[in-house]
Amino acid sequence: MLQILVKFNENVLKVFQSDKAEITIGRNDQNDLQIDNLAVSNFHARIVRSEDNYFIEDLNSTNGTYLDEEKITKCELQDGDTASIGKHSLTFLLEGGEGGSKKLRDFEMVRTRVLDTEKQRELASKAEPYFPDSPARLTVQDGETSRDEYLLTGRLTEIGKGASSQVKLEGLFAPKNLAYITRDAKGYTLIPGDNAAKLRLNGTSIDKGTPLKNNDIIEAGKIKFRFLQR
């Protein structure tokens, strides 16, 4: 399944995931992934899956589609790639990926611009290690889950009782998709899911991605977790 982190001004707004063979992106509400911003065309871009590979294609948008700062027409996606669409950025997490380890296939589609050597050096100088030095963990303070503690080693951890959740909630009324926790070079972020009405961070509802701090309390319905990071 393809997972996309949708960001605006470096803040994660939501996590979009789909196993469809084609995903359309744009301002129009008929798109699979709608981005309501005037800098985004009505039908801006699309993601196409071919066997085990994903490709991003610009749909003749007004402001163009950029992949890792390069303007593209159509290009294969690598795990961890980030596309810019209008003022939003989309980071792609491919199933089984490890942050860009997959090699390019020999397809007849290229990026429309090649970065010059100076630009490459500039980007390399800004590069950071993907993860913090040591993984954080969630410890159960109140309520019942499948385990008493969860180590947050992945780039994306889902909380809920759905089949794809890594932090499993139990009980008849437990939400299927409550929240996500992302992990990157800047730390950890808590992102509301489809059933965010039952989500609280330190007793307060959140409606967008919020950075986590040591000893934060995450309430998932009747279950309380403590976020701990060395």
Side-chain angles (χ1 to χ4, degrees):
M1 178 178 291
L2 176 66
Q3 297 173 317
I4 305 175
L5 307 184
V6 183
K7 301 180 183 179
F8 182 77
N9 291 336
E10 296 302 317
N11 295 316
V12 181
L13 301 181
K14 63 181 177 181
V15 177
F16 175 86
Q17 51 187 3
S18 175
D19 56 4
K20 293 179 62 176
E22 180 175 326
I23 300 165
T24 59
I25 304 169
R27 195 171 74 249
N28 192 290
D29 61 8
Q30 294 183 17
N31 287 281
D32 300 297
L33 176 52
Q34 183 189 19
I35 301 177
D36 189 10
N37 188 284
L38 292 177
V40 179
S41 296
N42 278 320
F43 295 92
H44 196 109
R46 66 174 181 169
I47 309 297
V48 178
R49 186 182 73 233
S50 176
E51 297 181 350
D52 294 330
N53 309 309
Y54 286 90
F55 301 87
I56 184 169
E57 179 182 4
D58 183 75
L59 299 178
N60 296 316
S61 64
T62 301
N63 294 317
T65 299
Y66 293 79
L67 185 62
D68 294 331
E69 301 194 13
E70 301 176 54
K71 189 174 183 180
I72 60 97
T73 52
K74 188 173 183 179
C75 183
E76 183 181 4
L77 284 171
Q78 305 298 297
D79 182 50
D81 273 349
T82 296
S84 296
I85 292 180
K87 297 181 179 181
H88 289 68
S89 64
L90 311 178
T91 298
F92 301 94
L93 306 182
L94 307 187
E95 188 171 2
E98 295 295 337
S101 62
K102 192 173 62 170
K103 295 181 180 179
L104 282 171
R105 269 64 172 187
D106 185 22
F107 284 88
E108 294 181 354
M109 49 193 67
V110 295
R111 299 181 179 181
T112 59
R113 183 169 63 88
V114 178
L115 291 178
D116 57 33
T117 303
E118 182 178 352
K119 185 64 174 178
Q120 288 176 338
R121 291 197 194 99
E122 179 185 345
L123 291 176
S125 68
K126 296 178 181 178
E128 300 179 9
Y130 196 79
F131 291 143
D133 291 336
S134 58
R137 65 186 189 275
L138 290 181
T139 60
V140 179
Q141 304 293 293
D142 193 15
E144 295 185 2
T145 64
S146 58
R147 292 157 54 185
D148 294 331
E149 182 175 285
Y150 298 87
L151 197 61
L152 303 175
T153 58
R155 293 175 302 173
L156 184 67
T157 300
E158 184 177 350
I159 303 174
K161 71 173 182 180
S164 60
S165 298
Q166 291 82 31
V167 178
K168 288 284 189 181
L169 304 181
E170 299 180 349
L172 181 62
F173 299 105
K176 181 179 179 181
N177 173 248
L178 179 73
Y180 301 90
I181 295 177
T182 61
R183 181 189 184 200
D184 59 24
K186 295 181 180 179
Y188 291 83
T189 300
L190 179 66
I191 306 161
D194 296 335
N195 303 109
K198 296 184 178 181
L199 177 67
R200 299 285 187 278
L201 178 60
N202 298 321
T204 302
S205 299
I206 61 172
D207 58 4
K208 63 180 180 179
T210 305
L212 287 169
K213 304 182 299 297
N214 192 39
N215 283 315
D216 275 348
I217 297 297
I218 300 171
E219 296 179 54
K222 296 182 178 180
I223 300 170
K224 288 186 179 181
F225 298 95
R226 185 179 296 275
F227 174 81
L228 296 172
Q229 184 176 17
R230 289 194 301 178

mmCIF file of all heavy atoms in Angstrom, residues 126-170:
data_model
loop_
_atom_site.group_PDB
_atom_site.id
_atom_site.type_symbol
_atom_site.label_atom_id
_atom_site.label_comp_id
_atom_site.label_asym_id
_atom_site.label_seq_id
_atom_site.Cartn_x
_atom_site.Cartn_y
_atom_site.Cartn_z
ATOM 1 N N LYS A 126 22.666 20.082 2.940
ATOM 2 C CA LYS A 126 21.489 20.224 3.787
ATOM 3 C C LYS A 126 20.951 18.868 4.253
ATOM 4 O O LYS A 126 20.034 18.822 5.068
ATOM 5 C CB LYS A 126 20.376 20.958 3.024
ATOM 6 C CG LYS A 126 20.734 22.390 2.639
ATOM 7 C CD LYS A 126 19.593 23.016 1.857
ATOM 8 C CE LYS A 126 19.934 24.440 1.437
ATOM 9 N NZ LYS A 126 18.850 25.036 0.630
ATOM 10 N N ALA A 127 21.489 17.795 3.717
ATOM 11 C CA ALA A 127 20.955 16.476 4.022
ATOM 12 C C ALA A 127 21.176 16.140 5.494
ATOM 13 O O ALA A 127 22.196 16.462 6.083
ATOM 14 C CB ALA A 127 21.623 15.424 3.146
ATOM 15 N N GLU A 128 20.187 15.477 6.097
ATOM 16 C CA GLU A 128 20.280 15.064 7.486
ATOM 17 C C GLU A 128 20.019 13.573 7.570
ATOM 18 O O GLU A 128 19.356 12.996 6.708
ATOM 19 C CB GLU A 128 19.218 15.788 8.330
ATOM 20 C CG GLU A 128 19.344 17.294 8.309
ATOM 21 C CD GLU A 128 18.252 17.943 9.140
ATOM 22 O OE1 GLU A 128 17.537 17.205 9.846
ATOM 23 O OE2 GLU A 128 18.119 19.160 9.086
ATOM 24 N N PRO A 129 20.499 12.907 8.616
ATOM 25 C CA PRO A 129 20.115 11.508 8.821
ATOM 26 C C PRO A 129 18.609 11.426 8.988
ATOM 27 O O PRO A 129 17.995 12.342 9.557
ATOM 28 C CB PRO A 129 20.860 11.112 10.098
ATOM 29 C CG PRO A 129 21.179 12.404 10.772
ATOM 30 C CD PRO A 129 21.376 13.405 9.666
ATOM 31 N N TYR A 130 18.001 10.352 8.518
ATOM 32 C CA TYR A 130 16.543 10.301 8.460
ATOM 33 C C TYR A 130 15.902 10.201 9.836
ATOM 34 O O TYR A 130 14.849 10.770 10.085
ATOM 35 C CB TYR A 130 16.110 9.119 7.594
ATOM 36 C CG TYR A 130 14.666 9.229 7.175
ATOM 37 C CD1 TYR A 130 14.302 10.065 6.123
ATOM 38 C CD2 TYR A 130 13.673 8.558 7.860
ATOM 39 C CE1 TYR A 130 12.979 10.202 5.745
ATOM 40 C CE2 TYR A 130 12.350 8.693 7.481
ATOM 41 C CZ TYR A 130 12.005 9.508 6.427
ATOM 42 O OH TYR A 130 10.701 9.642 6.074
ATOM 43 N N PHE A 131 16.529 9.460 10.784
ATOM 44 C CA PHE A 131 15.911 9.209 12.075
ATOM 45 C C PHE A 131 16.654 9.890 13.212
ATOM 46 O O PHE A 131 17.844 10.132 13.132
ATOM 47 C CB PHE A 131 15.888 7.705 12.368
ATOM 48 C CG PHE A 131 14.958 6.934 11.496
ATOM 49 C CD1 PHE A 131 15.308 5.670 11.066
ATOM 50 C CD2 PHE A 131 13.749 7.457 11.107
ATOM 51 C CE1 PHE A 131 14.454 4.947 10.263
ATOM 52 C CE2 PHE A 131 12.883 6.737 10.308
ATOM 53 C CZ PHE A 131 13.244 5.470 9.893
ATOM 54 N N PRO A 132 15.971 10.167 14.311
ATOM 55 C CA PRO A 132 16.675 10.555 15.525
ATOM 56 C C PRO A 132 17.597 9.418 15.968
ATOM 57 O O PRO A 132 17.465 8.290 15.522
ATOM 58 C CB PRO A 132 15.540 10.757 16.542
ATOM 59 C CG PRO A 132 14.308 10.925 15.731
ATOM 60 C CD PRO A 132 14.517 10.137 14.477
ATOM 61 N N ASP A 133 18.525 9.728 16.879
ATOM 62 C CA ASP A 133 19.531 8.745 17.269
ATOM 63 C C ASP A 133 18.935 7.504 17.914
ATOM 64 O O ASP A 133 19.378 6.388 17.668
ATOM 65 C CB ASP A 133 20.552 9.386 18.221
ATOM 66 C CG ASP A 133 21.417 10.416 17.502
ATOM 67 O OD1 ASP A 133 21.539 10.304 16.271
ATOM 68 O OD2 ASP A 133 21.948 11.309 18.167
ATOM 69 N N SER A 134 17.955 7.664 18.782
ATOM 70 C CA SER A 134 17.382 6.510 19.473
ATOM 71 C C SER A 134 15.870 6.562 19.372
ATOM 72 O O SER A 134 15.271 7.631 19.494
ATOM 73 C CB SER A 134 17.807 6.501 20.941
ATOM 74 O OG SER A 134 17.404 7.685 21.583
ATOM 75 N N PRO A 135 15.233 5.422 19.120
ATOM 76 C CA PRO A 135 13.775 5.417 18.960
ATOM 77 C C PRO A 135 13.047 5.695 20.269
ATOM 78 O O PRO A 135 13.495 5.289 21.351
ATOM 79 C CB PRO A 135 13.484 3.999 18.459
ATOM 80 C CG PRO A 135 14.630 3.183 18.937
ATOM 81 C CD PRO A 135 15.816 4.086 18.918
ATOM 82 N N ALA A 136 11.923 6.378 20.168
ATOM 83 C CA ALA A 136 11.068 6.628 21.325
ATOM 84 C C ALA A 136 10.148 5.424 21.528
ATOM 85 O O ALA A 136 10.159 4.463 20.744
ATOM 86 C CB ALA A 136 10.260 7.901 21.106
ATOM 87 N N ARG A 137 9.337 5.496 22.570
ATOM 88 C CA ARG A 137 8.398 4.402 22.830
ATOM 89 C C ARG A 137 7.112 4.947 23.438
ATOM 90 O O ARG A 137 7.084 6.046 23.995
ATOM 91 C CB ARG A 137 9.018 3.351 23.748
ATOM 92 C CG ARG A 137 9.340 3.828 25.150
ATOM 93 C CD ARG A 137 10.094 2.745 25.931
ATOM 94 N NE ARG A 137 10.248 3.072 27.340
ATOM 95 C CZ ARG A 137 11.212 3.804 27.841
ATOM 96 N NH1 ARG A 137 12.132 4.318 27.041
ATOM 97 N NH2 ARG A 137 11.264 4.049 29.140
ATOM 98 N N LEU A 138 6.053 4.176 23.270
ATOM 99 C CA LEU A 138 4.778 4.453 23.916
ATOM 100 C C LEU A 138 4.584 3.433 25.022
ATOM 101 O O LEU A 138 4.675 2.222 24.779
ATOM 102 C CB LEU A 138 3.622 4.343 22.925
ATOM 103 C CG LEU A 138 3.480 5.397 21.824
ATOM 104 C CD1 LEU A 138 2.263 5.088 20.981
ATOM 105 C CD2 LEU A 138 3.384 6.793 22.397
ATOM 106 N N THR A 139 4.312 3.894 26.237
ATOM 107 C CA THR A 139 4.001 2.980 27.332
ATOM 108 C C THR A 139 2.542 3.183 27.720
ATOM 109 O O THR A 139 2.044 4.317 27.781
ATOM 110 C CB THR A 139 4.903 3.224 28.552
ATOM 111 O OG1 THR A 139 4.713 4.562 29.026
ATOM 112 C CG2 THR A 139 6.370 3.030 28.175
ATOM 113 N N VAL A 140 1.845 2.090 27.967
ATOM 114 C CA VAL A 140 0.429 2.142 28.309
ATOM 115 C C VAL A 140 0.284 2.547 29.774
ATOM 116 O O VAL A 140 0.785 1.869 30.673
ATOM 117 C CB VAL A 140 -0.246 0.785 28.051
ATOM 118 C CG1 VAL A 140 -1.725 0.853 28.427
ATOM 119 C CG2 VAL A 140 -0.105 0.378 26.596
ATOM 120 N N GLN A 141 -0.416 3.661 30.019
ATOM 121 C CA GLN A 141 -0.650 4.159 31.375
ATOM 122 C C GLN A 141 -1.996 3.706 31.920
ATOM 123 O O GLN A 141 -2.149 3.520 33.126
ATOM 124 C CB GLN A 141 -0.595 5.692 31.378
ATOM 125 C CG GLN A 141 0.694 6.276 30.840
ATOM 126 C CD GLN A 141 1.884 5.987 31.727
ATOM 127 O OE1 GLN A 141 1.979 6.467 32.851
ATOM 128 N NE2 GLN A 141 2.800 5.184 31.222
ATOM 129 N N ASP A 142 -2.970 3.551 31.042
ATOM 130 C CA ASP A 142 -4.314 3.187 31.478
ATOM 131 C C ASP A 142 -5.040 2.523 30.314
ATOM 132 O O ASP A 142 -4.900 2.957 29.160
ATOM 133 C CB ASP A 142 -5.073 4.436 31.937
ATOM 134 C CG ASP A 142 -6.355 4.097 32.684
ATOM 135 O OD1 ASP A 142 -6.513 2.923 33.089
ATOM 136 O OD2 ASP A 142 -7.200 4.992 32.849
ATOM 137 N N GLY A 143 -5.811 1.464 30.596
ATOM 138 C CA GLY A 143 -6.535 0.759 29.548
ATOM 139 C C GLY A 143 -5.773 -0.468 29.060
ATOM 140 O O GLY A 143 -4.655 -0.755 29.514
ATOM 141 N N GLU A 144 -6.386 -1.175 28.130
ATOM 142 C CA GLU A 144 -5.807 -2.433 27.641
ATOM 143 C C GLU A 144 -5.506 -2.341 26.150
ATOM 144 O O GLU A 144 -6.320 -1.879 25.364
ATOM 145 C CB GLU A 144 -6.756 -3.600 27.903
ATOM 146 C CG GLU A 144 -6.985 -3.907 29.376
ATOM 147 C CD GLU A 144 -7.838 -5.139 29.577
ATOM 148 O OE1 GLU A 144 -8.221 -5.765 28.557
ATOM 149 O OE2 GLU A 144 -8.146 -5.472 30.736
ATOM 150 N N THR A 145 -4.325 -2.785 25.782
ATOM 151 C CA THR A 145 -3.921 -2.913 24.382
ATOM 152 C C THR A 145 -3.257 -4.271 24.214
ATOM 153 O O THR A 145 -3.157 -5.056 25.165
ATOM 154 C CB THR A 145 -2.931 -1.797 23.979
ATOM 155 O OG1 THR A 145 -1.732 -1.943 24.740
ATOM 156 C CG2 THR A 145 -3.524 -0.422 24.219
ATOM 157 N N SER A 146 -2.793 -4.541 23.012
ATOM 158 C CA SER A 146 -2.179 -5.843 22.753
ATOM 159 C C SER A 146 -0.841 -5.999 23.467
ATOM 160 O O SER A 146 -0.371 -7.111 23.688
ATOM 161 C CB SER A 146 -1.989 -6.054 21.246
ATOM 162 O OG SER A 146 -1.195 -5.013 20.692
ATOM 163 N N ARG A 147 -0.192 -4.865 23.830
ATOM 164 C CA ARG A 147 1.086 -4.891 24.535
ATOM 165 C C ARG A 147 1.147 -3.745 25.536
ATOM 166 O O ARG A 147 0.364 -2.802 25.470
ATOM 167 C CB ARG A 147 2.252 -4.762 23.531
ATOM 168 C CG ARG A 147 2.414 -5.966 22.626
ATOM 169 C CD ARG A 147 3.142 -5.630 21.346
ATOM 170 N NE ARG A 147 4.427 -4.984 21.591
ATOM 171 C CZ ARG A 147 5.213 -4.506 20.622
ATOM 172 N NH1 ARG A 147 4.821 -4.619 19.355
ATOM 173 N NH2 ARG A 147 6.365 -3.964 20.892
ATOM 174 N N ASP A 148 2.102 -3.836 26.460
ATOM 175 C CA ASP A 148 2.262 -2.774 27.457
ATOM 176 C C ASP A 148 3.154 -1.643 26.970
ATOM 177 O O ASP A 148 3.109 -0.538 27.514
ATOM 178 C CB ASP A 148 2.864 -3.343 28.750
ATOM 179 C CG ASP A 148 1.915 -4.322 29.436
ATOM 180 O OD1 ASP A 148 0.688 -4.156 29.272
ATOM 181 O OD2 ASP A 148 2.407 -5.234 30.127
ATOM 182 N N GLU A 149 3.959 -1.917 25.944
ATOM 183 C CA GLU A 149 4.891 -0.901 25.453
ATOM 184 C C GLU A 149 5.137 -1.117 23.967
ATOM 185 O O GLU A 149 5.192 -2.261 23.493
ATOM 186 C CB GLU A 149 6.213 -0.978 26.226
ATOM 187 C CG GLU A 149 7.227 0.065 25.823
ATOM 188 C CD GLU A 149 8.476 0.031 26.684
ATOM 189 O OE1 GLU A 149 8.396 0.501 27.834
ATOM 190 O OE2 GLU A 149 9.514 -0.486 26.217
ATOM 191 N N TYR A 150 5.293 -0.010 23.225
ATOM 192 C CA TYR A 150 5.542 -0.075 21.786
ATOM 193 C C TYR A 150 6.769 0.774 21.465
ATOM 194 O O TYR A 150 6.836 1.950 21.820
ATOM 195 C CB TYR A 150 4.331 0.465 21.008
ATOM 196 C CG TYR A 150 3.066 -0.322 21.215
ATOM 197 C CD1 TYR A 150 2.222 -0.032 22.288
ATOM 198 C CD2 TYR A 150 2.712 -1.356 20.352
ATOM 199 C CE1 TYR A 150 1.052 -0.748 22.483
ATOM 200 C CE2 TYR A 150 1.543 -2.077 20.549
ATOM 201 C CZ TYR A 150 0.722 -1.770 21.616
ATOM 202 O OH TYR A 150 -0.434 -2.485 21.812
ATOM 203 N N LEU A 151 7.731 0.168 20.783
ATOM 204 C CA LEU A 151 8.916 0.891 20.353
ATOM 205 C C LEU A 151 8.633 1.507 18.987
ATOM 206 O O LEU A 151 8.231 0.813 18.043
ATOM 207 C CB LEU A 151 10.109 -0.067 20.268
ATOM 208 C CG LEU A 151 11.501 0.563 20.227
ATOM 209 C CD1 LEU A 151 11.761 1.365 21.493
ATOM 210 C CD2 LEU A 151 12.566 -0.514 20.047
ATOM 211 N N LEU A 152 8.852 2.803 18.850
ATOM 212 C CA LEU A 152 8.500 3.529 17.629
ATOM 213 C C LEU A 152 9.702 3.578 16.692
ATOM 214 O O LEU A 152 10.365 4.605 16.540
ATOM 215 C CB LEU A 152 8.018 4.939 17.982
ATOM 216 C CG LEU A 152 6.821 4.997 18.941
ATOM 217 C CD1 LEU A 152 6.502 6.439 19.314
ATOM 218 C CD2 LEU A 152 5.602 4.317 18.331
ATOM 219 N N THR A 153 9.958 2.468 16.036
ATOM 220 C CA THR A 153 11.134 2.367 15.169
ATOM 221 C C THR A 153 10.828 2.721 13.712
ATOM 222 O O THR A 153 11.731 3.047 12.951
ATOM 223 C CB THR A 153 11.709 0.943 15.211
ATOM 224 O OG1 THR A 153 10.681 0.017 14.812
ATOM 225 C CG2 THR A 153 12.172 0.590 16.614
ATOM 226 N N GLY A 154 9.570 2.658 13.311
ATOM 227 C CA GLY A 154 9.214 2.890 11.912
ATOM 228 C C GLY A 154 9.065 4.361 11.589
ATOM 229 O O GLY A 154 8.951 5.214 12.469
ATOM 230 N N ARG A 155 9.051 4.668 10.296
ATOM 231 C CA ARG A 155 8.813 6.035 9.862
ATOM 232 C C ARG A 155 7.369 6.437 10.073
ATOM 233 O O ARG A 155 7.047 7.608 10.230
ATOM 234 C CB ARG A 155 9.181 6.187 8.384
ATOM 235 C CG ARG A 155 10.660 6.041 8.109
ATOM 236 C CD ARG A 155 10.923 6.082 6.628
ATOM 237 N NE ARG A 155 10.197 5.032 5.926
ATOM 238 C CZ ARG A 155 10.143 4.922 4.609
ATOM 239 N NH1 ARG A 155 10.745 5.815 3.865
ATOM 240 N NH2 ARG A 155 9.484 3.948 4.039
ATOM 241 N N LEU A 156 6.461 5.456 10.068
ATOM 242 C CA LEU A 156 5.041 5.741 10.227
ATOM 243 C C LEU A 156 4.415 4.629 11.061
ATOM 244 O O LEU A 156 4.501 3.454 10.707
ATOM 245 C CB LEU A 156 4.359 5.820 8.861
ATOM 246 C CG LEU A 156 2.881 6.210 8.869
ATOM 247 C CD1 LEU A 156 2.718 7.659 9.327
ATOM 248 C CD2 LEU A 156 2.264 6.033 7.493
ATOM 249 N N THR A 157 3.833 5.000 12.196
ATOM 250 C CA THR A 157 3.168 4.056 13.084
ATOM 251 C C THR A 157 1.694 4.416 13.170
ATOM 252 O O THR A 157 1.352 5.573 13.458
ATOM 253 C CB THR A 157 3.792 4.089 14.491
ATOM 254 O OG1 THR A 157 5.179 3.752 14.410
ATOM 255 C CG2 THR A 157 3.092 3.101 15.412
ATOM 256 N N GLU A 158 0.830 3.462 12.903
ATOM 257 C CA GLU A 158 -0.616 3.711 12.947
ATOM 258 C C GLU A 158 -1.183 3.201 14.261
ATOM 259 O O GLU A 158 -0.829 2.120 14.735
ATOM 260 C CB GLU A 158 -1.307 3.017 11.775
ATOM 261 C CG GLU A 158 -2.803 3.298 11.700
ATOM 262 C CD GLU A 158 -3.462 2.655 10.484
ATOM 263 O OE1 GLU A 158 -2.731 2.160 9.603
ATOM 264 O OE2 GLU A 158 -4.713 2.655 10.430
ATOM 265 N N ILE A 159 -2.085 3.990 14.863
ATOM 266 C CA ILE A 159 -2.758 3.625 16.111
ATOM 267 C C ILE A 159 -4.230 3.385 15.822
ATOM 268 O O ILE A 159 -4.911 4.237 15.250
ATOM 269 C CB ILE A 159 -2.614 4.741 17.160
ATOM 270 C CG1 ILE A 159 -1.143 5.051 17.431
ATOM 271 C CG2 ILE A 159 -3.311 4.347 18.463
ATOM 272 C CD1 ILE A 159 -0.928 6.252 18.343
ATOM 273 N N GLY A 160 -4.752 2.234 16.191
ATOM 274 C CA GLY A 160 -6.153 1.905 15.966
ATOM 275 C C GLY A 160 -6.351 0.402 16.067
ATOM 276 O O GLY A 160 -5.433 -0.342 16.421
ATOM 277 N N LYS A 161 -7.549 -0.052 15.739
ATOM 278 C CA LYS A 161 -7.792 -1.497 15.778
ATOM 279 C C LYS A 161 -7.858 -2.099 14.375
ATOM 280 O O LYS A 161 -8.170 -3.272 14.213
ATOM 281 C CB LYS A 161 -9.073 -1.816 16.547
ATOM 282 C CG LYS A 161 -10.374 -1.427 15.862
ATOM 283 C CD LYS A 161 -11.557 -1.954 16.671
ATOM 284 C CE LYS A 161 -12.889 -1.636 15.988
ATOM 285 N NZ LYS A 161 -14.042 -2.141 16.764
ATOM 286 N N GLY A 162 -7.556 -1.281 13.347
ATOM 287 C CA GLY A 162 -7.561 -1.777 11.981
ATOM 288 C C GLY A 162 -6.420 -2.757 11.723
ATOM 289 O O GLY A 162 -5.439 -2.823 12.474
ATOM 290 N N ALA A 163 -6.536 -3.482 10.626
ATOM 291 C CA ALA A 163 -5.543 -4.515 10.297
ATOM 292 C C ALA A 163 -4.158 -3.942 10.061
ATOM 293 O O ALA A 163 -3.148 -4.619 10.280
ATOM 294 C CB ALA A 163 -6.008 -5.291 9.068
ATOM 295 N N SER A 164 -4.071 -2.693 9.622
ATOM 296 C CA SER A 164 -2.772 -2.095 9.307
ATOM 297 C C SER A 164 -2.126 -1.400 10.504
ATOM 298 O O SER A 164 -1.012 -0.884 10.390
ATOM 299 C CB SER A 164 -2.923 -1.089 8.162
ATOM 300 O OG SER A 164 -3.829 -0.055 8.511
ATOM 301 N N SER A 165 -2.810 -1.379 11.652
ATOM 302 C CA SER A 165 -2.290 -0.672 12.824
ATOM 303 C C SER A 165 -1.161 -1.441 13.488
ATOM 304 O O SER A 165 -1.260 -2.651 13.686
ATOM 305 C CB SER A 165 -3.410 -0.419 13.839
ATOM 306 O OG SER A 165 -4.416 0.402 13.288
ATOM 307 N N GLN A 166 -0.094 -0.718 13.850
ATOM 308 C CA GLN A 166 0.994 -1.330 14.608
ATOM 309 C C GLN A 166 0.729 -1.260 16.115
ATOM 310 O O GLN A 166 1.143 -2.133 16.860
ATOM 311 C CB GLN A 166 2.325 -0.644 14.285
ATOM 312 C CG GLN A 166 2.845 -0.876 12.882
ATOM 313 C CD GLN A 166 2.190 0.044 11.869
ATOM 314 O OE1 GLN A 166 1.812 1.163 12.190
ATOM 315 N NE2 GLN A 166 2.046 -0.428 10.641
ATOM 316 N N VAL A 167 0.070 -0.180 16.555
ATOM 317 C CA VAL A 167 -0.352 -0.061 17.951
ATOM 318 C C VAL A 167 -1.824 -0.444 17.999
ATOM 319 O O VAL A 167 -2.694 0.316 17.585
ATOM 320 C CB VAL A 167 -0.137 1.364 18.489
ATOM 321 C CG1 VAL A 167 -0.636 1.464 19.928
ATOM 322 C CG2 VAL A 167 1.331 1.744 18.407
ATOM 323 N N LYS A 168 -2.102 -1.662 18.471
ATOM 324 C CA LYS A 168 -3.443 -2.233 18.383
ATOM 325 C C LYS A 168 -4.298 -1.841 19.582
ATOM 326 O O LYS A 168 -3.944 -2.102 20.737
ATOM 327 C CB LYS A 168 -3.351 -3.764 18.323
ATOM 328 C CG LYS A 168 -2.824 -4.307 17.014
ATOM 329 C CD LYS A 168 -3.887 -4.252 15.926
ATOM 330 C CE LYS A 168 -3.417 -4.998 14.677
ATOM 331 N NZ LYS A 168 -4.438 -4.935 13.619
ATOM 332 N N LEU A 169 -5.422 -1.191 19.291
ATOM 333 C CA LEU A 169 -6.406 -0.895 20.316
ATOM 334 C C LEU A 169 -7.432 -2.020 20.354
ATOM 335 O O LEU A 169 -7.776 -2.591 19.321
ATOM 336 C CB LEU A 169 -7.102 0.437 20.026
ATOM 337 C CG LEU A 169 -6.192 1.662 19.855
ATOM 338 C CD1 LEU A 169 -7.046 2.906 19.600
ATOM 339 C CD2 LEU A 169 -5.300 1.866 21.063
ATOM 340 N N GLU A 170 -7.917 -2.322 21.549
ATOM 341 C CA GLU A 170 -8.870 -3.414 21.704
ATOM 342 C C GLU A 170 -10.186 -2.896 22.264
ATOM 343 O O GLU A 170 -10.242 -1.823 22.867
ATOM 344 C CB GLU A 170 -8.270 -4.489 22.616
ATOM 345 C CG GLU A 170 -6.989 -5.103 22.049
ATOM 346 C CD GLU A 170 -6.393 -6.159 22.948
ATOM 347 O OE1 GLU A 170 -6.852 -6.268 24.122
ATOM 348 O OE2 GLU A 170 -5.474 -6.870 22.513
#
